[in-house]
């Protein structure tokens, strides 16, 4: 069951019917967003009914676009734990610090949410060949869900993507093209080849349903905090779709009457080597400028010009939030601190938020008694090559850990 009514352009408001394949707005090129009949949903759907739904993001099916239950392609994504982080909090000076651990999703990142939704919609709409440009985790998630649905997955990823992403895509039977360039170069290659090859482009925001899956991160946060949102949400922002999706989710929850008008301050965290959103925020600009020579170990943050930049900046500003960047050194140190204090091995992107919390507590933007939620968007286990040089590499090489001779 779904309360979907139609799609509408986020820039020019042009309307598009549900139940058909769509990419960007054919009038102005803006991303399309899904709309629901929230007045009807308010009358017919109770939050008490959630507990009877599946223990996955599909418990929010009425606020997702899929109309037939048999279309759903699920590997158990979502309903990740919201973990208290008291020992980390004590070290940083925060009394109510939480980590939403998205690393526990299928394929080890929150990208599973978006691609479960997109592949389910592709199945419903009869699409069989999917293509994606990806910095890594979206590729792995598409490959897995396409395999589960019996569809083709064509993947374009930068040659310097984490090794785990390359191996998982091959493991799931996807066609992988390694590109000497950035995700923006991969996106161009997909756009050029898709029409002739008959591929459907599932680039985030060019495809309107991935964001619907990602928004469930916000729905679950509200449910897990008993319908009282935190004071701040820190989100590692690459394309920013998780943040835009959560912002949309909060709006939908208010219109359902499940939460009030209070919103968390939305804080976009980027890497110093690729921080176009931070730069635009500081300049008071509505759009980002292309960030040249983007470089960071946090592969998910290597997005030089997010398509939804204006929507990220709007969410940050409307919520009285902020944007900041941390260096690779800072985020790797913070990841180790998180691991040692809380037993959580976060992706470098999630670790960036830990570093950001420390900085914002010092600057006074965050207060020690506020409820602060960090999104750890992925599992550190997918990025072993980024951490290996921190430890005794010579010894590891001698013992041939994993059968590999590691770089000295
Ligand atoms: C893709 C990705 C991000 C960035 O996500 P957006 O919602 O597109 O900003 C952050 N962390 C990880 C681990 C990712 O895979
Ligand atoms: Zn438009």
């Amino acid at each position: 069951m779904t309360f979907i009514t139609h799609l509408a352009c986020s820039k020019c408001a042009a309307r598009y019917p549900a139940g058909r394949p769509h990419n960007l707005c054919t009038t102005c090129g803006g991303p399309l967003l899904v709309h629901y009949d929230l007045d009807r949903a308010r009358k017919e759907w109770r939050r008490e009914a959630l507990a009877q739904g599946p223990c996955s993001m599909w418990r929010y099916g009425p606020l997702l676009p899929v109309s037939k239950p048999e279309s759903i392609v699920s590997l158990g994504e979502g309903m990740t734990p919201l973990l208290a982080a008291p020992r980390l909090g004590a070290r940083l000076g925060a009394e109510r610090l939480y980590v939403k651990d998205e690393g526990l999703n299928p394929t080890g990142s929150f990208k599973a949410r978006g691609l479960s939704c997109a592949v389910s919609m592709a199945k419903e709409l009869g699409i069989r060949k999917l293509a994606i440009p990806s910095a890594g985790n979206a590729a792995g998630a598409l490959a897995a869900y396409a395999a589960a649905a019996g569809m083709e997955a064509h993947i374009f990823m930068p040659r310097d993507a984490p090794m785990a992403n390359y191996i998982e895509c091959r493991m799931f039977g996807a066609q992988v093209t390694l590109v000497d360039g950035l995700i923006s170069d991969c996106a161009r290659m997909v756009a050029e080849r898709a029409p002739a090859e008959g591929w459907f482009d599932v680039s985030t925001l060019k495809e309107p349903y991935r964001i619907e899956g990602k928004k469930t991160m916000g729905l679950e946060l509200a449910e897990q905090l008993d319908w009282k949102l935190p004071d701040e949400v820190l989100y590692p922002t690459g394309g920013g779709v998780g943040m835009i999706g959560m912002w949309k989710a909060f709006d939908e929850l208010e219109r359902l009457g499940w939460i009030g008008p209070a919103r968390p301050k939305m804080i976009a965290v980027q890497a110093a080597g690729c921080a176009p959103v931070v730069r635009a925020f500081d300049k008071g600009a509505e759009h980002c400028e292309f960030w040249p020579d983007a470089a960071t170990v946090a592969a998910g943050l290597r997005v030089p010009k997010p398509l939804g930049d204006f929507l990220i900046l709007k969410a940050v500003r409307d919520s009285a939030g902020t944007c900041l960047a941390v260096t690779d050194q800072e985020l790797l140190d913070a990841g180790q601190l998180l691991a040692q204090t809380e037993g959580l091995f976060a992706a470098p992107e999630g670790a960036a938020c830990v570093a950001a919390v420390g900085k914002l507590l010092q600057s006074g933007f965050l207060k020690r008694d506020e409820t602060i939620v960090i999104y750890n968007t992925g599992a550190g286990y997918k990025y072993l090559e980024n951490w290996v040089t921190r430890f005794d590499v010579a010894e590891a090489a001698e013992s041939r850990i994993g059968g590999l001779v590691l770089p000295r």
Side-chain angles (χ1 to χ4, degrees):
M1 210 258 298
T2 170
F3 289 106
I4 191 170
T5 53
H6 65 282
L7 293 86
C9 176
S10 57
K11 280 193 171 148
C12 77
R15 286 173 72 110
Y16 294 83
R20 280 198 226 148
H22 296 292
N23 285 118
L24 293 172
C25 174
T26 50
T27 308
C28 79
L32 304 186
L33 296 176
V34 178
H35 291 252
Y36 299 88
D37 186 347
L38 296 169
D39 293 329
R40 208 183 107 215
R42 189 180 178 121
K43 289 188 206 107
E44 296 178 12
W45 191 30
R46 293 271 161 273
R47 65 190 196 195
E48 290 72 27
L50 288 175
Q52 276 115 57
C55 190
S56 77
M57 70 172 206
W58 292 100
R59 72 210 272 108
Y60 289 101
L63 271 189
L64 292 170
V66 174
S67 57
K68 299 190 214 91
E70 60 274 22
S71 308
I72 293 175
V73 184
S74 176
L75 296 170
E77 52 293 321
M79 287 312 278
T80 55
L82 180 66
L83 301 165
R87 285 167 41 82
L88 177 67
R91 285 287 287 273
L92 299 177
E95 286 161 13
R96 287 202 301 258
L97 183 61
Y98 293 87
V99 179
K100 177 87 168 141
D101 192 8
E102 293 294 307
L104 292 172
N105 276 300
T107 70
S109 87
F110 82 101
K111 295 292 197 305
R113 296 176 184 267
L115 285 149
S116 175
C117 193
V119 171
S120 298
M121 283 306 288
K123 186 173 169 191
E124 187 153 288
L125 300 172
I127 297 166
R128 316 248 353 126
K129 298 181 182 178
L130 304 171
I132 199 167
S134 166
N137 285 325
L142 173 66
Y145 287 92
M151 294 179 192
E152 285 178 23
H154 299 271
I155 284 160
F156 292 77
M157 66 163 86
R159 196 173 290 283
D160 58 359
M163 190 195 296
N165 296 128
Y166 177 73
I167 291 179
E168 67 182 333
C169 290
R170 297 295 306 269
M171 190 76 191
F172 294 128
Q175 290 288 325
V176 183
T177 306
L178 291 175
V179 176
D180 291 305
L182 293 168
I183 188 169
S184 42
D185 301 301
C186 300
R188 197 166 357 93
M189 292 175 78
V190 170
E192 279 166 13
R193 290 188 53 186
E197 303 277 0
W199 300 338
F200 185 75
D201 186 346
V202 288
S203 301
T204 190
L205 288 184
K206 275 190 202 165
E207 188 280 345
Y209 304 116
R210 278 176 67 186
I211 182 174
E212 293 302 295
K214 291 181 178 184
K215 89 180 173 190
T216 60
M217 285 193 289
L219 301 173
E220 286 175 17
L221 180 65
E223 183 181 354
Q224 288 171 322
L225 290 174
D226 202 19
W227 312 105
K228 193 177 172 306
L229 295 175
D231 295 302
E232 284 94 12
V233 166
L234 286 99
Y235 186 77
T237 303
V241 182
M243 155 117 42
I244 303 166
M246 281 194 267
W247 194 243
K248 181 175 190 280
F250 299 152
D251 191 42
E252 290 171 355
L253 288 175
E254 185 180 359
R255 289 177 57 199
L256 284 175
W258 294 10
I259 63 168
R263 292 288 183 276
K265 291 179 183 153
M266 302 300 282
I267 301 172
V269 180
Q270 298 205 291
C274 182
V277 176
V278 178
R279 182 171 285 173
F281 180 77
D282 289 344
K283 280 189 181 167
E286 221 181 299
H287 289 272
C288 296
E289 280 165 40
F290 187 91
W291 187 279
D293 305 320
T296 165
V297 296
L301 306 186
R302 235 183 268 149
V303 183
K305 164 96 174 80
L307 190 61
D309 51 3
F310 63 107
L311 296 170
I312 305 168
L313 288 158
K314 187 169 166 13
V316 170
R317 290 188 177 123
D318 287 357
S319 71
T322 190
C323 300
L324 76 163
V326 302
T327 65
D328 279 9
Q329 186 66 46
E330 287 169 332
L331 67 87
L332 290 170
D333 288 346
Q336 212 173 335
L337 179 66
L338 172 65
Q340 290 173 2
T341 52
E342 298 292 347
L344 288 176
F345 190 178
E349 295 85 346
C353 292
V354 176
V357 166
K359 289 189 164 197
L360 291 172
L361 283 162
Q362 270 169 23
S363 75
F365 187 92
L366 295 175
K367 309 280 182 290
R368 76 178 296 125
D369 60 346
E370 288 175 333
T371 301
I372 302 167
V373 174
I374 288 174
Y375 275 78
N376 170 38
T377 40
Y381 296 95
K382 294 186 85 174
Y383 300 77
L384 296 181
E385 60 269 35
N386 291 332
W387 307 96
V388 72
T389 50
R390 306 216 125 207
F391 306 107
D392 193 337
V393 180
E395 191 184 315
E398 234 142 71
S399 59
R400 296 190 166 221
I401 286 183
L404 283 173
V405 178
L406 296 165
R408 274 167 200 268

